[in-house]
Amino acid sequence: MKVDVIELFPTVVMSFNLNRDLYQSESDVINKELQNTGRNEGNWTSIADQIFEEDGMQSLSADIMKMAYLYFDHVFKSKNTPELYYVHSWLNVTHSGEFHHAHCHTNSFLSGCYYYKAEEGDCVRFHNLAEQNKMLYFPPKENTKYNARTRLVPIKSGDVVIWKSELHHDVPRLEKERQSPRISLAFNIFLKGNIGEPELRTGLHIG
Ligand SMILES: [Fe+2]
């Protein structure tokens, strides 16, 4: 029997790699801020939340912003490109035995992480809340993109992963002994400029 499977409305996560070592000034800033962290639910987070604005971070923040524009262009195919800017940028530190609780990033448009220290088997886990909230659950004999309640995206040091901020995600508990804690530099991005179509009364200026 011939069947056409028509896939509707997928969600996109994009994974890049920085493809360079950090400059000394960049690792100096990260290592400095790693000295000042506070407890999160299952791991640790930097007190600083504007790390991309610090002296020495200009190249890294610019390189990652280029990836955010690639995400925007690929996903939205918009007639106009707004200006994207970082709202917050901060460090997450997860040791062996710890985890990062499930959450999404409110008051943000795009979110992502640069993975400063990752090891074999590390991942970020995304949650399909629409599937998780369904009344009927059929334990799968095979996990596919149609029945997935979660999806693991593997990460390695130097990767940059970007997604829409409303997408829920977490880091499963790190079970193995590690050389280093898992360290990510997370960021939230918002937009400014003109969006929408004024002639259709959907125009909006965000300053
Ligand atoms: Fe997050």
Side-chain angles (χ1 to χ4, degrees):
M1 185 189 305
K2 181 182 180 303
V3 178
D4 287 331
V5 175
I6 299 160
E7 299 186 333
L8 302 177
F9 316 136
T11 294
V12 175
V13 172
M14 288 179 73
S15 180
F16 306 83
N17 191 274
L18 190 62
N19 284 325
R20 67 168 173 85
D21 293 332
L22 290 191
Y23 300 129
Q24 189 64 47
S25 65
E26 295 165 343
S27 46
D28 285 349
V29 167
I30 291 174
N31 289 327
K32 177 188 68 149
E33 297 300 352
L34 284 172
Q35 305 306 310
N36 190 18
T37 60
R39 189 71 187 153
N40 201 345
E41 206 167 303
N43 59 355
W44 302 82
T45 187
S46 62
I47 303 304
D49 65 2
Q50 300 284 341
I51 289 178
F52 276 149
E53 310 307 318
E54 297 194 32
D55 286 345
M57 295 298 277
Q58 291 84 352
S59 293
L60 183 60
S61 64
D63 287 346
I64 292 174
M65 186 57 82
K66 284 180 199 157
M67 300 172 192
Y69 277 106
L70 286 173
Y71 182 101
F72 181 87
D73 289 339
H74 184 79
V75 172
F76 293 98
K77 300 288 183 208
S78 173
K79 293 176 185 170
N80 304 308
T81 301
E83 180 185 343
L84 304 178
Y85 67 96
Y86 296 109
V87 182
H88 294 109
S89 46
W90 67 98
L91 295 165
N92 299 300
V93 183
T94 311
H95 299 87
S96 186
E98 296 183 331
F99 64 96
H100 195 132
H101 66 283
H103 63 283
C104 66
H105 294 213
T106 46
N107 292 339
S108 179
F109 173 52
L110 301 179
S111 295
C113 277
Y114 163 73
Y115 295 96
Y116 178 57
K117 297 279 186 196
E119 294 182 1
E120 180 81 30
D122 282 350
C123 68
V124 54
R125 178 169 60 185
F126 291 95
H127 294 258
N128 182 351
L129 292 191
E131 195 63 33
Q132 290 178 18
N133 289 333
K134 282 185 178 157
M135 292 294 293
L136 301 178
Y137 174 59
F138 307 99
K141 61 185 175 190
E142 179 188 356
N143 289 315
T144 73
K145 57 186 168 183
Y146 304 131
N147 65 18
R149 293 156 70 93
T150 61
R151 173 75 185 265
L152 300 178
V153 173
I155 51 119
K156 60 185 185 304
S157 296
D159 282 353
V160 178
V161 179
I162 296 177
W163 58 86
K164 291 180 187 172
S165 297
E166 65 266 24
L167 189 58
H168 277 65
H169 55 282
D170 73 339
V171 179
R173 190 180 294 279
L174 304 181
E175 302 289 356
K176 286 194 267 184
E177 289 304 311
R178 305 174 63 87
Q179 304 284 323
S180 158
R182 181 190 192 280
I183 301 172
S184 63
L185 172 49
F187 50 86
N188 283 337
I189 287 173
F190 207 67
L191 64 154
K192 62 175 85 168
N194 295 313
I195 63 172
E197 296 179 287
E199 62 276 15
L200 299 178
R201 297 181 182 171
T202 63
L204 176 65
H205 177 77
I206 304 176

